[in-house]
């Protein structure tokens, strides 16, 4: 459904050429050119200020949609659905200097019947100087043109097929194609579901102007920038194509087994419900059922937010301490059992009563890597439903901070290679992977390098 809109934009840009052609011959005194000028002038179907229209009417037979412009917004007078603002504005701009490609002479009943103009689609554009009416008939056999007539002119004309196609009555062209009726600043809550259970629930607090996850995630820091970036994308989405309305059979598009679900609420109390299914024949596209009725087509990647977990929105690393704000620390992991005193102003530390000089670059870098490997945790995922006990921790690190207070981290073995994270005796709802402790760029490796370089192991 974006293609007709894009076509309209292209037509608006190109339309200036026809006016230029008209002006180029305006002052010619040559008789033949004068006749050509008159023909061109007659082919200029409309000429008005594109910003002046206050009403648009699209009709065919008994089907009519009237849009009125007020307070810089186009609205359907019936209120049945919201209007595509871009489409309405482009119709005004495009028709304001609409020029026919062909002229088939005077209107007759035979011509009206021959060209499908006896029961045409009609577009009426009302502006302060009056109402301009355009009637659109059939497409030409070659597919190059649409036949049209204009109130106030006596001839039958043809406009290029692309021009005529966007003027033919199409309810779904008029209908708003935005996924959401909210701006970024109107959002209140975004909840996604998987198999009937909540996958992720984010809520906006107007007082603090921040987003938050449910209480069970309160020990984890939410990345506000990540949330804003993701939601800034979804409030801008527009359907690639508008499909069925009033859908009765969910299985037609696979909504009986949805790929994703979401309920998005605004600060004004309104909400929008979405069901998503992937197009099996073209997986790069998906179908979205909006509020149980309108089916719209999007790129599957645009609906990726329905698959995101709380983990994808949190700060995925936790810095417990830095060496420059730590006065002492202790560490127990496997065969490592040490206590350290730090004086980073003088680049010194005492570990298990052995002084280590940190003035050399090699010593300092090796110590910094080792310290960061135990004080900075990179989460592998979240699991707030787990109920691990702080018993027989595999890893314990405690830091006494220069500004006062302590920070303690315990890692308790969980399923497979995961370790549950406890901070100051409380499970925080996240876990790290064993790669933090063993393997390349792990605590074990950095401790060995630090011990070898500084002679701590001698």
């Amino acid at each position: 459904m974006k293609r007709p809109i894009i076509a309209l934009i292209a037509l608006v840009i190109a339309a200036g050429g026809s006016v230029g052609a008209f002006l180029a011959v305006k002052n010619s005194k040559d008789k033949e050119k004068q006749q050509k000028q008159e023909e061109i002038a007659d082919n200029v179907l409309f000429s008005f200020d594109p910003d002046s229209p206050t009403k648009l009417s699209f009709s065919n037979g008994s089907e009519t949609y009237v849009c009125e412009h007020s307070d810089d917004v186009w609205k359907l007078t019936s209120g049945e659905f919201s209007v595509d603002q871009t489409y309405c504005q482009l119709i005004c701009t495009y028709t304001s200097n609409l020029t026919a490609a062909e002229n088939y002479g005077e209107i007759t009943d035979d011509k009206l019947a021959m060209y499908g103009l006896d029961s045409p689609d009609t577009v009426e554009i009302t502006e302060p100087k009056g109402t301009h009416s355009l009637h659109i008939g059939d497409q030409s056999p070659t597919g190059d043109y649409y036949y049209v007539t204009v109130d106030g002119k006596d001839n039958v004309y043809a406009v290029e097929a692309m021009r005529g196609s966007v003027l033919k009555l199409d309810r779904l062209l008029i209908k708003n194609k935005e996924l959401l009726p909210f701006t970024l600043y109107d959002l209140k809550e975004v909840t996604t579901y998987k198999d009937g259970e909540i996958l992720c629930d984010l809520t906006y607090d107007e007082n603090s102007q921040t987003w938050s996850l449910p209480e069970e995630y309160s020990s984890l820091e939410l990345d506000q920038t990540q949330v804003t970036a993701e939601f800034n994308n979804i409030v801008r989405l527009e359907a690639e194509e508008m499909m069925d309305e009033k859908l009765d059979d969910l299985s037609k598009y696979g909504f009986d087994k949805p790929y994703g679900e979401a309920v998005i609420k605004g600060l004004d109390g309104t909400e929008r419900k979405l069901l998503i299914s992937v197009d099996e024949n073209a997986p790069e596209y998906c179908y979205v059922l909006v509020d149980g009725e309108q089916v719209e087509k999007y790129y599957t990647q645009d609906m990726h937010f329905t698959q995101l977990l709380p983990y994808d929105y949190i700060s995925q690393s936790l810095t417990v301490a830095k060496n420059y704000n730590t006065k002492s620390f202790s560490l127990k992991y496997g065969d490592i059992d040490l206590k350290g005193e730090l004086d980073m102003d003088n680049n010194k530390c005492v570990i298990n009563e052995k002084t280590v000089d940190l003035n050399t670059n090699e010593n300092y870098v090796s110590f910094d890597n080792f310290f960061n490997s135990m004080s900075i945790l990179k989460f592998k995922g979240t699991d707030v439903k787990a109920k691990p006990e702080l018993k027989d921790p595999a890893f314990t690190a405690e830091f006494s901070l220069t500004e006062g207070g302590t920070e303690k981290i315990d890692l308790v073995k969980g399923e497979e290679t995961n370790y549950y994270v406890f901070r100051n005796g409380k499970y925080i709802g996240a876990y790290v992977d064993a790669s933090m402790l063993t393997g390349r760029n792990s605590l074990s490796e950095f401790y060995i390098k630090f011990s070898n370089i500084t002679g701590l192991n001698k």
Side-chain angles (χ1 to χ4, degrees), residues 181-182 186-189 206 263-273:
F182 313 118
D186 298 323
L187 293 178
K188 173 63 178 178
E189 186 175 10
E206 293 182 77
V263 175
I264 302 171
K265 299 179 180 180
L267 292 171
D268 61 359
T270 60
E271 67 177 38
R272 177 147 289 181
K273 296 180 180 179

Side-chain angles (χ1 to χ4, degrees), residues 350-370:
V350 177
I351 297 180
N352 289 348
E353 300 183 352
K354 183 173 182 178
T355 300
V356 178
D357 185 2
L358 300 179
N359 279 301
T360 69
N361 184 65
E362 188 176 29
N363 284 5
Y364 182 88
V365 170
S366 66
F367 171 74
D368 190 52
N369 287 337
F370 163 61

Side-chain angles (χ1 to χ4, degrees), residues 80-81 171-172 175 243-250 252-253 289-295:
E80 181 184 358
F81 53 77
R171 170 190 172 94
L172 296 181
K175 199 171 184 178
M243 314 291 286
D244 290 9
E245 293 183 292
K246 313 293 183 184
L247 184 68
D248 294 324
D249 181 8
L250 293 178
K252 179 178 180 180
Y253 292 95
L289 180 62
V290 180
D291 291 335
E293 294 186 346
Q294 175 69 56
V295 180

Side-chain angles (χ1 to χ4, degrees), residues 113-117 136-140 145-147 168:
M114 181 187 304
Y115 297 136
L117 287 162
I136 307 99
D138 293 340
Q139 191 171 14
S140 67
Y145 303 110
Y146 273 92
Y147 304 108
K168 294 283 284 184

Side-chain angles (χ1 to χ4, degrees), residues 100-363:
E102 297 288 343
N103 186 324
Y104 293 100
E106 188 174 354
I107 297 171
T108 65
D109 290 341
D110 288 343
K111 286 182 181 179
L112 292 178
M114 181 187 304
Y115 297 136
L117 287 162
D118 48 352
S119 57
D121 295 86
T122 297
V123 178
E124 295 180 338
I125 306 100
T126 300
E127 46 104 6
K129 295 181 180 179
T131 297
H132 310 278
S133 299
L134 177 71
H135 309 284
I136 307 99
D138 293 340
Q139 191 171 14
S140 67
T142 61
D144 295 330
Y145 303 110
Y146 273 92
Y147 304 108
V148 302
T149 59
V150 175
D151 285 2
K153 285 183 174 287
D154 297 327
N155 295 328
V156 174
Y157 305 91
V159 295
E160 293 175 0
M162 187 178 292
R163 298 171 184 257
S165 66
V166 296
L167 294 171
K168 294 283 284 184
L169 176 61
D170 188 335
R171 170 190 172 94
L172 296 181
L173 270 179
I174 304 168
K175 199 171 184 178
N176 189 352
K177 297 157 196 68
E178 294 176 339
L179 177 68
L180 301 175
F182 313 118
T183 69
L184 179 64
Y185 308 103
D186 298 323
L187 293 178
K188 173 63 178 178
E189 186 175 10
V190 178
T191 308
T192 54
Y193 299 84
K194 192 73 171 181
D195 299 325
E197 295 188 1
I198 291 178
L199 189 66
C200 187
D201 184 20
L202 286 157
T203 305
Y204 183 73
D205 184 275
E206 293 182 77
N207 295 324
S208 64
Q209 297 185 346
T210 57
W211 288 90
S212 65
L213 288 161
E215 178 64 26
E216 54 265 36
Y217 293 92
S218 60
S219 296
L220 300 170
E221 181 184 359
L222 192 66
D223 187 339
Q224 299 291 328
T225 301
Q226 176 63 25
V227 175
T228 300
E230 192 66 42
F231 292 172
N232 191 46
N233 177 56
I234 65 175
V235 297
R236 297 170 182 268
L237 292 177
E238 293 187 5
E240 295 297 315
E241 188 172 352
M242 304 287 275
M243 314 291 286
D244 290 9
E245 293 183 292
K246 313 293 183 184
L247 184 68
D248 294 324
D249 181 8
L250 293 178
S251 65
K252 179 178 180 180
Y253 292 95
F255 294 126
D256 54 332
K257 298 177 181 178
Y259 163 77
E261 299 180 54
V263 175
I264 302 171
K265 299 179 180 180
L267 292 171
D268 61 359
T270 60
E271 67 177 38
R272 177 147 289 181
K273 296 180 180 179
L274 310 175
L275 277 183
I276 298 93
S277 66
V278 176
D279 185 342
E280 294 181 356
N281 297 319
E284 66 273 22
Y285 291 104
C286 68
Y287 299 111
V288 178
L289 180 62
V290 180
D291 291 335
E293 294 186 346
Q294 175 69 56
V295 180
E296 302 175 3
K297 191 173 185 177
Y298 291 84
Y299 285 105
T300 302
Q301 182 59 35
D302 288 338
M303 293 298 118
H304 178 61
F305 79 96
T306 64
Q307 307 301 303
L308 297 182
L309 301 168
Y311 171 75
D312 297 302
Y313 293 105
I314 66 170
S315 298
Q316 296 178 4
S317 66
L318 171 64
T319 300
V320 181
K322 284 290 189 180
N323 59 36
Y324 57 78
N325 69 356
T326 301
K327 60 183 180 181
S328 65
F329 67 91
S330 63
L331 171 65
K332 289 183 179 181
Y333 168 66
D335 295 332
I336 305 173
D337 187 353
L338 54 83
K339 293 183 178 180
E341 301 289 333
L342 296 183
D343 180 6
M344 298 309 295
D345 289 337
N346 296 301
N347 286 333
K348 291 181 180 180
C349 72
V350 177
I351 297 180
N352 289 348
E353 300 183 352
K354 183 173 182 178
T355 300
V356 178
D357 185 2
L358 300 179
N359 279 301
T360 69
N361 184 65
E362 188 176 29
N363 284 5

